[in-house]
Amino acid sequence: MKKRETFAIENFMPGRDSTGLTVGVGMPVMITFDRDVTDRVSIERNLFVRTSRPVLGAWHWFDARNVHFRPKKFWPAGTRVRVEARLAGVRGGKGLYGAANRTVNFKIGRSQITRGSIQSHYLTVKRNGKVVREMPMSAGQGGELEVPHDQRRAPRHVTGGRHRHDLPGHRTRFPRLLPADRLRHRPHLQQRRVHPQRPVVGRLPGQLQRQPRLCQRQPSNAKWFLDNTLIGDPIIITGSPRVLEPMNGWGHWQESWRQWLEWSSLKHFNTEDV
């Protein structure tokens, strides 16, 4: 008999270490395999999504290693979710079979959706349908580091994690931010990302600050956003004809439901009871 090769799940999100176990209503389920798979139908048939209330959703293949799930609409607040990947012995391709089963459990938190406009330069944060914060934002200043105002993207973001980054201590990187001597005394920037490539809000303690993309102009607003945002909270920006590419970070909500289903082998289904 020919030797059988195996594939396994390399990354499974949400997760305790990567996102926490309570996430926002826009959070997708993301599975990454450790090698390319070709039998997508067989794999999808063995991926089960169970929820505490019915949700219409679908899996979507971004490439041969990444299959993600999202609902047709944002998750209902408070939904408990259990995702079972019963892949042990499941065919992933010619001579390729799943090595083990994996399961993740998480909860959808309160519904918090932030909307902003590149034209008005304001963000409005609604929690469970009620406005809880309004604050100014910047979409960048153009010039060397930015595209012109009418060419900036206006996407449907999903917030990512909290990160800490060093800022360079010279004038050329952020010419309109702070003088170089002040940057050297405040080398760290905390930011909440909308996805891996696009920082949204952050703060430079005690200083008015500018980031390459969308940001709050007052540190107090930025701190509030950092403290009150879950990974997976949607941020919807309007006012630009440009659209963010679905593969540019967590672009799961850039595509319409019809577009999302085009890359699903089994199409949509209603989740089962958890």
Side-chain angles (χ1 to χ4, degrees):
M1 295 178 62
K2 293 183 178 179
K3 181 181 178 180
R4 291 188 175 186
E5 297 182 344
T6 60
F7 70 95
I9 293 177
E10 185 175 74
N11 190 37
F12 207 153
M13 294 177 65
R16 184 184 299 275
D17 296 331
S18 57
T19 64
L21 297 181
T22 301
V23 295
V25 297
M27 186 70 202
V29 177
M30 296 178 278
I31 295 178
T32 301
F33 300 114
D34 61 356
R35 60 191 304 171
D36 292 355
V37 296
T38 57
D39 195 338
R40 298 180 177 185
V41 172
S42 178
I43 290 174
E44 277 192 48
R45 283 176 175 167
N46 289 278
L47 298 176
F48 299 89
V49 182
R50 304 185 184 279
T51 56
S52 57
R53 62 189 71 182
V55 174
L56 180 66
W59 292 96
H60 176 104
W61 290 88
F62 283 95
D63 54 37
R65 295 195 182 195
N66 291 277
V67 60
H68 297 183
F69 175 91
R70 58 156 260 212
K72 181 179 181 179
K73 300 178 180 180
F74 294 139
W75 296 95
T79 302
R80 289 179 288 110
V81 185
R82 178 182 179 89
V83 183
E84 301 174 2
R86 302 178 190 171
L87 298 177
V90 172
R91 187 178 186 276
K94 186 176 181 179
L96 184 65
Y97 296 88
N101 298 327
R102 289 278 300 275
T103 299
V104 297
N105 294 277
F106 60 94
K107 182 180 178 181
I108 305 300
R110 76 289 175 271
S111 172
Q112 180 166 301
I113 301 174
T114 301
R115 297 180 184 271
S117 170
I118 289 177
Q119 297 175 340
S120 69
H121 298 287
Y122 259 83
L123 293 175
T124 299
V125 183
K126 284 188 176 183
R127 185 176 299 160
N128 297 325
K130 296 182 178 181
V131 175
V132 294
R133 194 86 169 187
E134 291 182 330
M135 42 194 167
M137 77 171 196
S138 170
Q141 297 180 354
E144 180 182 355
L145 297 178
E146 292 289 339
V147 297
H149 185 280
D150 61 354
Q151 295 183 25
R152 294 176 195 152
R153 294 179 174 88
R156 296 166 67 90
H157 295 288
V158 175
T159 55
R162 188 191 304 269
H163 301 271
R164 191 173 177 87
H165 292 271
D166 290 333
L167 289 177
H170 55 78
R171 297 177 185 272
T172 56
R173 182 67 176 87
F174 290 101
R176 300 184 186 87
L177 176 63
L178 288 172
D181 58 344
R182 295 188 186 181
L183 280 175
R184 283 195 291 270
H185 291 291
R186 292 176 173 83
H188 297 295
L189 169 70
Q190 280 189 314
Q191 64 185 22
R192 172 72 72 177
R193 293 189 173 193
V194 290
H195 55 65
Q197 288 83 31
R198 294 287 184 269
V200 172
V201 296
R203 63 185 177 92
L204 194 59
Q207 294 291 339
L208 184 68
Q209 60 100 0
R210 171 183 176 272
Q211 289 189 41
R213 298 288 173 184
L214 305 172
C215 72
Q216 309 306 328
R217 298 186 181 189
Q218 291 90 359
S220 61
N221 280 331
K223 182 180 185 302
W224 182 92
F225 197 91
L226 286 164
D227 293 341
N228 289 274
T229 303
L230 294 173
I231 295 177
D233 281 345
I235 301 180
I236 302 171
I237 305 299
T238 60
S240 170
R242 301 188 73 195
V243 178
L244 188 70
E245 301 84 356
M247 288 297 288
N248 192 341
W250 291 2
H252 301 78
W253 298 97
Q254 304 303 336
E255 296 181 320
S256 68
W257 184 239
R258 179 185 59 79
Q259 292 171 322
W260 182 262
L261 292 179
E262 288 179 1
W263 295 96
S264 175
S265 298
L266 300 180
K267 307 306 177 185
H268 59 79
F269 60 91
N270 285 307
T271 58
E272 303 176 20
D273 292 338
V274 68

